[in-house]
Amino acid sequence: MATKIQEPISIPMTVSVPYRFAAGSYLTKCLIGLRDHGTLFAVECPKCKRVQLPPRIVCATCHVRNERWVELGLEGTLVAFTIMYLPLTDPTTGKPHNPPFVYGTVRLDGATSVLDHFINVEPDLEKIRVGMRCRMILRPQAERIGDLSDILYFDPIPG
Amino acid sequence: MKRNVAIIGGGQTFHAARRHDVDQAEMVNEAVRAALNDARMTMDEIDLVILGNMEFFEGTHMTDCWLVHGTGAYGKQGLKITTGGTVGATAVVTAAHHVASGLFPRVLCIGFEKQEEGDTGAILSGVAHPLWGRSLAGAAVGYFAMMGSSYMAAWGATEEHSAMVAVKARQNARKNKYAHLKLDIGIEDVLNSRMLSWPIRMLDMCPASNGACAMILADEKTAKARCKKPVWIRAMDTAHNEQFELDWRDVKTTRPIFSRTCAKRIYRKLGVQKPSEYFDVFEVYEPATWSELVWYEDLGLCAPGEGFRLIEKGVTEIGGAIPVNPSGGVLSTNCIGASAMLRVWEAALQIRGDAGEHQVPKDVRRALTTAYGGTNWTVMTALSRTLDD
């Protein structure tokens, strides 16, 4: 009897897991400000003076309580960026981002920390550069839900 | 260290994109058997087993429990390590600490990943804060792309420089029989490969590999009695960054970041003045081309902003003055839980003179290895051929 070579068994499976995430008192204050008033608040460490975003209760470097709240402007500077060509899925919604799209790291004026978000420019290297000034654009207030998706993107500031 | 610790054996699997012929335990067991054979030991002689891989990358948890027949840990003391890309190096450090404690003379440590069985990108999105960054998470490639854009803007390097790193890695891998991507490529091939996330192209990125690595660490007495070529662990260090804060996305940052902090500390421990002269070979953790250039600078192999000059001049080739990743590195083989252990094991092979075709031509007495986990912390391990080195 001829021996038939068997393909090894390999079974595809999917796991989907529901989560609920508690933002905590500091981030809640920041996100409610963003949602209800279109403001962005960071905290400043009393010791090292780093202005930290998202706001957190303890400064990781100094191990002291952050107590001073600082309102940031909505403008900043692009520190790094990429043009993404992969059809990445947004893990928070399960919906695909639409490539190619540009996202980057922005340091808001007055902040030590940075924020990663979409940059509203064409995926064209002539139109993007590190050091470019940009402004945060929010969703209309009625559509905001209290997370970073309330920020639509950063618009480049001409000049 | 209070008590000396040596690597007295090790082994690895052949690394590949597809390993449907084995399950996870069978694959891990290939590396364990290779390590035991190399050390001429049996499982009975092992006092403790440390297993490392990433939780849920294969859709499984607590692999220390259900891979026990493959790891050899049945009835033995042991623990499980999960620390991102650093897993394998953390397993080595943990093994070394246990040996150095004097309580466990012979410790087996194992790192593995079977990437084809899960969705690494999806699970990795859990590394990001759910409300602050996760929506753009899901692929390491975007992070390294930002590192590349920052690097080019800061120092004037070009995409050709990152392509040189890609070529070096895959040409070195061709000499390493265990490596996954053995590609006979040139700079044009890299620049013509598919753009994933500017400036990162397909050939700028590591593959998704299946594989395992295992090593046996022992105390000085066992090492000297049992092993002809023990490789000594001379110093280890780890440093964390803070989630949310800038690191390599701003290569000009002057704030102390994990990689530079860790290098500074390990050099101080060893009394290293000039790392490029003190160490004979480096195995660094470079999932993307740009990260190797940044490692050159963070390790002090050159001044900040001059990393791309090193690759341009061929200084870090196998036959160069400062060989970096003669094995082909993570760019050629990335079985995540094993990748950082492979850096240590490959460095040990170089010191033993057992690396085969990818053995660096100069005398190797000391080596430094790095790893990073997430992108915010590092583990470094320094090795030497003798206790006088």
Side-chain angles (χ1 to χ4, degrees):
Chain A
M1 203 168 77
T3 313
K4 196 178 162 195
I5 296 166
Q6 301 283 329
E7 266 296 298
I9 290 173
S10 169
I11 310 285
M13 282 177 266
T14 302
V15 180
S16 93
V17 187
Y19 293 99
R20 173 169 291 276
F21 184 82
S25 60
Y26 271 51
L27 187 51
T28 293
K29 180 170 169 167
C30 170
L31 291 173
I32 285 176
L34 188 65
R35 184 187 67 192
D36 297 348
H37 308 291
T39 56
L40 196 57
F41 277 88
V43 285
E44 185 189 75
C45 169
K47 207 170 156 196
C48 70
K49 307 293 180 191
R50 282 192 306 141
V51 177
Q52 300 167 30
L53 197 70
R56 42 214 187 249
I57 195 162
V58 175
C59 172
T61 316
C62 308
H63 312 292
V64 295
R65 191 182 174 98
N66 290 325
E67 282 174 337
R68 198 171 94 81
W69 289 80
V70 182
E71 183 174 0
L72 298 174
L74 299 185
E75 294 185 3
T77 303
L78 189 65
V79 171
F81 70 93
T82 182
I83 306 171
M84 178 58 75
Y85 291 89
L86 293 171
L88 293 187
T89 303
D90 179 339
T92 61
T93 62
K95 290 178 188 155
H97 295 303
N98 198 16
F101 62 94
V102 181
Y103 72 96
T105 294
V106 176
R107 183 182 279 114
L108 289 167
D109 297 344
T112 313
S113 311
V114 292
L115 178 63
D116 288 357
H117 221 292
F118 298 110
I119 313 296
N120 186 31
V121 291
E122 287 168 52
D124 175 351
L125 290 174
E126 296 294 311
K127 294 180 178 164
I128 324 156
R129 62 175 178 83
V130 168
M132 188 169 80
R133 296 284 298 161
C134 39
R135 181 196 305 273
M136 185 189 288
I137 305 297
L138 301 177
R139 281 184 202 285
Q141 198 190 334
E143 294 173 21
R144 293 183 211 148
I145 58 169
D147 74 20
L148 275 201
S149 70
D150 291 348
I151 302 169
L152 284 172
Y153 42 71
F154 281 90
D155 257 346
I157 300 172
Chain B
M1 287 199 293
K2 270 202 153 160
R3 292 188 183 86
N4 292 317
V5 179
I7 298 163
I8 63 163
Q12 60 186 302
T13 59
F14 290 93
H15 307 290
R18 244 180 103 89
R19 283 302 305 272
H20 283 191
D21 57 316
V22 286
D23 72 2
Q24 292 166 39
E26 290 163 349
M27 188 182 79
V28 163
N29 196 246
E30 289 177 7
V32 170
R33 281 179 186 282
L36 288 168
N37 286 342
D38 183 66
R40 292 188 300 276
M41 290 178 93
T42 64
M43 209 54 220
D44 296 338
E45 297 175 275
I46 300 294
D47 303 305
L48 176 86
V49 177
I50 291 160
L51 177 68
N53 84 307
M54 278 302 284
E55 291 288 282
F56 219 67
F57 273 15
E58 291 82 7
T60 54
H61 286 299
M62 292 185 68
T63 46
D64 51 323
C65 290
W66 67 272
L67 300 188
V68 80
H69 54 296
T71 63
Y74 182 82
K76 291 188 185 294
Q77 300 199 62
L79 53 94
K80 166 77 195 295
I81 300 287
T82 291
T83 59
T86 51
V87 164
T90 312
V92 175
V93 167
T94 309
H97 287 168
H98 278 81
V99 174
S101 76
L103 298 173
F104 304 91
R106 296 166 300 259
V107 178
L108 169 67
C109 53
I110 310 158
F112 86 95
E113 216 72 65
K114 211 165 174 224
Q115 279 219 58
E116 70 174 322
E117 297 196 5
D119 186 338
T120 307
I123 305 304
L124 264 182
S125 70
V127 171
H129 190 291
L131 303 179
W132 204 274
R134 189 175 290 180
S135 65
L136 277 168
V141 60
Y143 178 89
F144 290 115
M146 289 207 269
M147 177 197 271
S149 71
S150 169
Y151 191 94
M152 282 191 281
W155 310 127
T158 66
E159 292 162 60
E160 280 77 11
H161 292 106
S162 64
M164 290 173 198
V165 178
V167 170
K168 172 174 82 68
R170 279 48 174 269
Q171 291 292 349
N172 287 355
R174 290 177 69 213
K175 302 185 172 83
N176 176 0
K177 64 180 176 180
Y178 295 104
H180 177 180
L181 286 188
K182 304 181 188 98
L183 304 175
D184 187 9
I185 53 167
I187 288 172
E188 287 305 312
D189 298 305
V190 182
L191 295 176
N192 290 327
S193 68
R194 185 160 70 98
M195 187 65 84
L196 304 178
S197 180
W198 185 88
I200 301 268
R201 295 173 172 82
M202 187 68 109
L203 288 169
D204 283 303
M205 246 354 243
C206 60
S209 314
N210 302 311
C213 181
M215 283 172 30
I216 296 163
L217 272 52
D219 63 355
E220 189 170 344
K221 195 177 149 204
T222 310
K224 286 185 170 163
R226 298 287 302 268
C227 184
K228 279 187 189 146
K229 290 190 269 188
V231 174
W232 301 94
I233 296 181
R234 302 312 300 279
M236 298 165 288
D237 211 321
T238 71
H240 278 79
N241 232 33
E242 185 184 3
Q243 177 84 304
F244 311 120
E245 291 306 310
L246 255 192
D247 35 63
W248 285 321
R249 281 169 296 171
D250 180 1
V251 296
K252 276 188 163 169
T253 187
T254 51
R255 269 176 53 73
I257 63 169
F258 63 107
S259 44
R260 295 173 209 163
T261 301
C262 198
K264 208 168 150 186
R265 279 207 302 249
I266 204 164
Y267 294 164
R268 197 188 305 135
K269 277 182 195 171
L270 292 165
V272 176
Q273 299 294 329
K274 207 168 175 212
S276 59
E277 289 174 6
Y278 185 91
F279 296 103
D280 304 304
V281 67
F282 294 81
E283 277 284 338
V284 302
Y285 199 92
E286 27 64 290
T289 47
W290 294 100
S291 52
E292 179 161 323
L293 300 179
V294 174
W295 272 127
Y296 295 166
E297 298 171 19
D298 287 354
L299 289 174
L301 306 183
C302 59
E306 290 179 1
F308 69 103
R309 300 291 179 205
L310 289 191
I311 193 80
E312 208 175 62
K313 291 177 191 153
V315 174
T316 54
E317 299 280 349
I318 287 187
I322 315 170
V324 178
N325 291 17
S327 65
V330 181
L331 277 171
S332 304
T333 304
N334 190 21
C335 26
I336 299 173
S339 295
M341 191 180 292
L342 284 170
R343 307 283 67 73
V344 183
W345 176 234
E346 285 289 347
L349 286 173
Q350 291 287 345
I351 287 173
R352 284 179 16 170
D354 289 342
E357 270 190 71
H358 63 286
Q359 180 71 42
V360 307
K362 69 173 174 178
D363 188 36
V364 179
R365 305 190 70 83
R366 299 182 183 129
L368 184 68
T369 73
T370 75
Y372 46 78
T375 43
N376 277 301
W377 80 294
T378 190
V379 179
M380 293 185 189
T381 313
L383 308 176
S384 73
R385 189 192 294 169
T386 71
L387 287 168
D388 299 323
D389 283 321

